[in-house]
């Protein structure tokens, strides 16, 4: 039970970090795309700004950001 609670907290933290980074980019994205983000094991322990930077680099290389 205790390990399960810790795992759930890590999952929720990862979701929160990814969601915060995505919402910073939301207005710069072209419409009509669906995205799937996969959290790595270290995602709950990094700041959303670092995730935002990585996400922005990937979005630029994919060509889904507005000019």
């Amino acid at each position: 039970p205790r390990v399960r609670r810790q795992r759930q907290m890590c999952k929720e933290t990862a979701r929160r970090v990814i969601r915060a980074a995505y919402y910073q980019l939301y207005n710069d994205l072209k419409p009509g795309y669906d995205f799937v983000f996969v959290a790595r094991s270290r995602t709950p322990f990094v700041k959303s700004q670092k995730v935002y930077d990585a996400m922005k680099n990937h979005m630029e290389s994919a060509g889904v950001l507005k000019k």
Side-chain angles (χ1 to χ4, degrees):
R2 184 172 186 209
V3 173
R4 186 179 301 160
R5 214 173 317 129
Q6 289 174 337
R7 199 175 312 137
Q8 288 172 342
M9 287 173 50
C10 281
K11 281 182 177 181
E12 187 56 39
T13 303
R15 285 187 192 113
R16 210 175 305 125
V17 168
I18 290 172
R19 200 176 297 130
Y22 176 76
Y23 284 138
Q24 284 181 311
L25 276 174
Y26 182 75
N27 290 328
D28 298 332
L29 296 173
K30 293 178 184 177
Y33 290 94
D34 294 327
F35 301 102
V36 176
F37 298 104
V38 178
R40 301 193 51 169
S41 60
R42 62 179 173 238
T43 304
F45 307 106
V46 298
K47 299 288 184 184
S48 62
Q49 185 62 40
K50 190 169 184 178
V51 175
Y52 167 81
D53 293 337
M55 199 179 283
K56 186 173 181 181
N57 288 337
H58 288 293
M59 297 290 187
E60 284 174 348
S61 64
V64 295
L65 289 179
K66 295 177 184 174
K67 299 289 179 184

